[in-house]
């Protein structure tokens, strides 16, 4: 005699298990993504966008004045991770240039570090301390006499 196999029916218990598993996965993924997003957020560009908008025209005027200086900058990192900076005007290195930079991690994971520069060969400037390995955002202020220029560069 053959034994009859009885097909199991789909019950409310099965549906409950499926719904709980589905929404459990969705909630777990959402919490994971929210945690990763908040842990890597580096902050805001400006603290108060209204105040920044009031200074916009002044920023444009300073940028135009900086462009009129005609300075070209070249930043490189040597094998020892020292930052080399060359400031030129019409291809000729500017003499008696002073520079200071603030470097910070683009995602805000480390505190900003101030870099000072000293004279190097060929009219260039060399940072007095090396950069740590990784990607850095460099805010550079260059002064030559009364003229001042500001640059922002990403350095690896």
């Amino acid at each position: 005699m053959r034994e009859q196999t009885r097909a199991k029916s789909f019950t409310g218990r099965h549906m409950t298990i499926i719904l709980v598993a589905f929404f459990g996965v969705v909630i777990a993924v959402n919490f994971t993504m929210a945690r990763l997003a908040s842990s890597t957020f580096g902050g805001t560009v400006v603290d108060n966008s209204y105040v920044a908008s009031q200074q916009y025209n002044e920023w444009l005027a300073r940028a135009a004045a900086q462009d009129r200086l005609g300075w070209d900058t070249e930043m490189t990192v040597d094998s020892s991770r020292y930052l080399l900076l060359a400031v030129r005007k019409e291809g000729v290195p500017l003499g008696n240039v002073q520079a200071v930079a603030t470097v910070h991690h683009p995602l805000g994971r480390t505190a900003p570090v101030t870099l000072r520069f000293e004279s190097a060969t060929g009219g260039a400037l060399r940072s007095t301390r090396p950069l740590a390995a990784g990607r850095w955002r460099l805010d550079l202020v260059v002064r030559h006499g009364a003229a001042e220029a500001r640059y922002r560069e990403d350095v690896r």
Side-chain angles (χ1 to χ4, degrees):
M1 200 157 158
R2 273 164 109 201
E3 215 178 289
Q4 285 186 344
T5 57
R6 188 174 160 214
K8 291 189 174 189
S9 61
F10 188 77
T11 64
R13 183 170 188 225
H14 294 115
M15 190 63 198
T16 301
I17 292 170
I18 289 170
L19 285 173
V20 168
F22 173 78
F23 284 108
V25 168
V26 169
I27 290 169
V29 168
N30 282 342
F31 275 112
T32 301
M33 297 304 270
R35 184 189 168 288
L36 290 173
S38 65
S39 69
T40 60
F41 180 63
T44 57
V45 175
V46 293
D47 291 330
N48 187 329
S49 58
Y50 176 75
V51 172
S53 72
Q54 301 302 306
Q55 297 172 345
Y56 185 72
N57 288 335
E58 179 186 336
W59 293 344
L60 287 177
R62 281 194 304 198
Q66 179 172 320
D67 288 344
R68 284 191 300 272
L69 292 173
W71 296 353
D72 294 319
T73 60
E74 181 182 349
M75 289 175 259
T76 56
V77 178
D78 68 11
S79 60
S80 300
R81 302 285 304 158
Y82 284 90
L83 188 66
L84 299 173
L85 170 66
V87 181
R88 298 181 186 95
K89 182 173 183 169
E90 298 173 357
V92 178
L94 282 178
N96 210 15
V97 173
Q98 299 166 348
V100 65
T102 303
V103 292
H104 59 275
H105 194 271
L107 297 177
R109 292 186 177 166
T110 61
V113 175
T114 300
L115 288 179
R116 306 258 179 237
F117 292 85
E118 60 190 10
S119 295
T121 59
L125 298 173
R126 182 177 187 246
S127 61
T128 56
R129 60 191 282 191
L131 277 175
R135 182 176 168 207
W136 296 94
R137 174 150 298 151
L138 176 93
D139 290 322
L140 177 69
V141 178
V142 178
R143 289 184 183 90
H144 182 257
E148 177 182 283
R150 295 175 180 264
Y151 303 95
R152 175 171 278 178
E153 297 285 334
D154 286 336
V155 179
R156 291 181 187 249

